[in-house]
Amino acid sequence: MSLRRTLSLTILAVSTLLPVLAVRAQAQAPPHIQRAQTFLVAWGRQNWDELKSVAAVQVTVKVGDKAFTLEPATQKSEVALVLPFRGLSTVREGEEVKGITVEEMVLKVGESETRGPATIMLKKQDGEFWVTEVSTGAPLAGEKPSR
């Protein structure tokens, strides 16, 4: 009986501690990673107010050879992000942060989806990083890549 109780208490403690550790890890991430993560989560959840706090007035979203727009202030988006995404890494030019690569994300335009790696371009202004562009080389499902 004691073993079951100990096991139950251990599971309860771990399940309580893990979310706290995840929040702490995010808070320790570099500011450009935090901004990109905030952008992606806000976009995926269509949280327009939060999206405005990290994105340019107009964000260009390139899917293959097609370009779409995302306008947080007017709550307009021609393309949607399907959560979850994974694998954020910094893109640098020398010491300067230029963007973030995303190992895998899903973008949806109408009924068509594309899945694969993407790049988020950032612009630093007044000490803050702003998302200006998202691009993926993969064409939408059902489309052939251009040559």
Side-chain angles (χ1 to χ4, degrees), residues 5-18:
R5 187 176 198 164
T6 303
L7 183 59
S8 295
L9 288 174
T10 302
I11 290 171
L12 178 64
V14 168
S15 65
T16 303
L17 186 58
L18 285 177

Side-chain angles (χ1 to χ4, degrees), residues 8-146:
S8 295
L9 288 174
T10 302
I11 290 171
L12 178 64
V14 168
S15 65
T16 303
L17 186 58
L18 285 177
V20 171
L21 292 175
V23 168
R24 185 175 292 158
Q26 182 182 357
Q28 294 174 353
H32 56 279
I33 295 287
Q34 289 178 11
R35 299 285 281 201
Q37 187 172 17
T38 298
F39 171 81
L40 291 168
V41 171
W43 185 20
R45 293 182 177 162
Q46 293 186 351
N47 183 340
W48 299 103
D49 290 332
E50 191 171 20
L51 198 56
K52 285 189 290 189
S53 73
V54 294
V57 173
Q58 182 173 322
V59 177
T60 302
V61 181
K62 296 179 181 176
V63 181
D65 61 352
K66 295 185 178 184
F68 304 94
T69 58
L70 170 65
E71 297 175 14
T74 60
Q75 300 184 5
K76 178 185 167 204
S77 180
E78 298 175 323
V79 60
L81 173 66
V82 179
L83 295 174
F85 58 89
R86 67 181 175 91
L88 303 181
S89 300
T90 304
V91 176
R92 296 180 188 271
E93 198 172 279
E95 292 295 314
E96 189 176 349
V97 173
K98 291 295 186 178
I100 304 293
T101 59
V102 184
E103 188 176 321
E104 183 177 57
M105 71 183 332
V106 178
L107 297 177
K108 187 173 182 178
V109 178
E111 295 300 315
S112 298
E113 288 187 356
T114 185
R115 173 183 305 269
T119 303
I120 298 171
M121 299 308 295
L122 301 171
K123 180 179 181 182
K124 192 168 187 177
Q125 184 176 353
D126 300 326
E128 296 285 345
F129 288 98
W130 299 91
V131 176
T132 59
E133 182 179 301
V134 177
S135 62
T136 179
L140 291 167
E143 293 184 4
K144 295 179 182 176
S146 61

